[in-house]
Amino acid sequence: MRVIKNYLYNAGYQILIMLAPIITTPYVARVLGAHESGINTYTNGWVTFFYLIGQMGITLYGNREVAYHRDNKHERSRTFWGIELMQLMTITVALIAYLSAVLLFSTTFKEYYLLQTLWIIATGIDVSWYFMGMEDFKKTVVRNTLVKLISIVMIFVFVRSRSDLWKYILLLGAAQVGGNITLWPYLRDSIEWVNPREWHPFRHFYPSLLLFIPTITTQIYLVVNKLMLGRIGQPTALGQFDYSDKIVKLVLAIVTATGTVMLPHVANKFANGDYQGVRESLYKSFDFVSSISVPMALGLMAISAKFAPWFLGKGYVEAGAIIFFEAPAIIFIAWSNVTGTQYLMPVNRVKEYTMSVTAGAVVNIIANLFLISKFSAEGAAVATVISEITVSFAQLWMIRSTIKRRLLFKGIWKYLCSGMIMYIVVLRFNQIMNMNIVNLVVQVTIGIVVYVICLIILRAPIMSQAKELFQKKYKE
């Protein structure tokens, strides 16, 4: 039950991170327009590279190390102080490098680049990795909810025209800083002060560097399509793609929340020598994410054509097609999240994980070169799917000797069949109904009912897991 509660908390946290801009998207999309939104996306894409370089692989490394030493307060405290000091040092270097690059080379969007600096500062004080390693997700959710809600209100109050782009960037960055600061008071009862001589921050440099390589490589094919689209295409196309990508990532956050929860859970089992428990967790997690990613991807595809212009505005008709083409990535990212984040990472098979995401990044860049020039934003969406397929199948091949892939995919055909039936039904309703909030709820509800009925008829594995869970909860 603890894992399930942590999943729900982390799903809420990930949704919150994505929901803040998504809630304001219909308003901001109309007020700023696709061109100004594209400028924000472009400048934020560059600052992302710098704060990722400064962060190294600390989010994953810190999460895993805290999980390893969770039961020893002194050891985990020493680990925390050492990792955080190293994070502050690397972030400082990244901040200096970023400001130097902006002041020396930037001409067109210099003021926006400077405002984006807040994201680097926020990364330096981010300690969410500690609470993730402790499998304590409630604090991050509750505390950040208030900060995000305040930022949403402020966006509606202060961003009123296209000239307010700088205010929008400032508010987003300030919310990130504020959210990270509010986590620090919770450390008081969880860690103890350790003599700085015991911190040894540089001891964490090399192992976090190893995790930095797959982290930055992963970001390459998450951000590079936007940068390439901004260079090859037009800011308007980039704005269309950015909002479409946000909608897909919002749905995806519900699926990938399992990764952050299961990483410390599996890492702790691995540290205690429970290898059978590691494998069983993997099988159950893979089945779970398959059962929810398939209907989410197909459901989003079914409503995308009418949903995009209704949600974003009449100027975003093209976003419907972009969402349709990018939505299948949800399934493949869900799979790689299990095989990579939930297995390869916690059992310290970093080299194989790095090779898989590197292959995805290379494929993404090559696909973007060919597809963006010909199909613009839709090409970038297809390139995203191709790269995620590459990562998923590379990782599945790498775990072939330790994990029975037959068990992983045992129930997949049932989810795909159920999802396709749901897709056909929802698509038909979407075609004959006008898009509004009531009809959207009706279509989503119909999709859920049809999908669940199909799962029951086909006796999908997830139904057995759900039955066991309810029986266990009832006994408690």
Side-chain angles (χ1 to χ4, degrees), residues 72-78 80-81 130 187-195 198-199:
N72 186 323
K73 186 175 183 180
H74 179 78
E75 189 61 29
R76 75 167 184 260
S77 298
R78 188 169 70 90
F80 168 79
W81 290 115
Y130 174 82
L187 292 170
R188 185 181 306 168
D189 298 326
S190 185
I191 63 173
E192 61 186 28
W193 178 254
V194 177
N195 191 315
E198 297 184 46
W199 292 4

Side-chain angles (χ1 to χ4, degrees), residues 120-140:
I120 301 180
I121 297 173
T123 303
I125 57 176
D126 180 22
V127 292
S128 61
W129 48 268
Y130 174 82
F131 295 101
M132 292 174 185
M134 292 294 293
E135 294 192 66
D136 183 1
F137 296 89
K138 182 178 180 178
K139 292 182 176 63
T140 57

Side-chain angles (χ1 to χ4, degrees), residues 211-222:
L211 291 180
F212 165 70
I213 298 173
T215 300
I216 191 65
T217 305
T218 301
Q219 288 299 319
I220 286 176
Y221 61 83
L222 293 179

